[in-house]
Amino acid sequence: QVEVSESGGGLVTAGGSLRLSCTASGLTFDDYAMGWFRQAPGKEREAVSCIGWSGDETYYRDSVKGRFTVSRDNAKKRLYLQMDNLQPEDTAVYYCAAEGYFGVGYYRCDDSDFKYWGQGTQVTVSS
C-alpha cells in the first residue's frame, strides 16, 4: 500500500520561510521523479517544482525561482521544499506527488505524470 504524506505547512508573514517535507512508503522511491504542486482557492492546481530520481535535475515555476529549493533524500525516502521569502500569492494547499516522470530528457512538470498524491498541507502567507 502506497502512502504519501506532507508536513511543514503553516502560517507565516510575508518574507518568512517554511520547509515542507514529504514521506512516501510502499513504492520504489528512488526510481521515480517527485513533485510539489499547489492549489489556491478558486484556482486550478499548478506545478511548483519537480525533481528527477537522482536529484540532479529540477524544475521550478517562474514565480518561485530563486526563492524555493527542492531536494530529496532517497535513503530516507523523503522529499523537501524549502520556501524562502514567501509572499501572499504563495498561499495554497501544497501537495506532494510521487512516482512520476521528469528528467532524463523529459522536462515537463505536469500533474498528469504522477501516480500517487498526498492529502496536502496548507501554507498561508499574510501580508
Side-chain angles (χ1 to χ4, degrees):
Q1 182 179 357
V2 175
E3 294 187 359
V4 180
S5 178
E6 308 92 341
S7 63
L11 172 63
V12 296
T13 56
S17 297
L18 285 173
R19 189 192 195 205
L20 304 184
S21 296
C22 171
T23 59
S25 60
L27 52 81
T28 308
F29 185 86
D30 54 1
D31 275 357
Y32 293 96
M34 298 285 292
W36 288 102
F37 295 78
R38 67 187 181 188
Q39 187 167 22
K43 295 187 177 181
E44 293 187 355
R45 186 166 61 190
E46 62 185 21
V48 176
S49 180
C50 286
I51 185 168
W53 68 271
S54 70
D56 291 339
E57 296 176 294
T58 58
Y59 160 90
Y60 298 95
R61 69 179 301 105
D62 286 346
S63 62
V64 308
K65 286 180 181 177
R67 300 188 298 122
F68 290 11
T69 304
V70 65
S71 61
R72 63 189 295 164
D73 185 332
N74 286 344
K76 296 182 179 179
K77 294 189 176 183
R78 284 186 175 267
L79 174 73
Y80 303 100
L81 185 68
Q82 177 67 41
M83 305 186 295
D84 298 318
N85 191 22
L86 282 159
Q87 300 299 315
E89 54 265 34
D90 296 316
T91 295
V93 177
Y94 283 70
Y95 297 93
C96 174
E99 200 166 299
Y101 293 94
F102 174 79
V104 196
Y106 182 75
Y107 297 106
R108 283 180 56 191
C109 183
D110 192 284
D111 56 3
S112 65
D113 291 322
F114 290 83
K115 187 173 182 179
Y116 299 107
W117 293 80
Q119 293 299 307
T121 185
Q122 177 69 46
V123 172
T124 303
V125 186
S126 63
S127 57

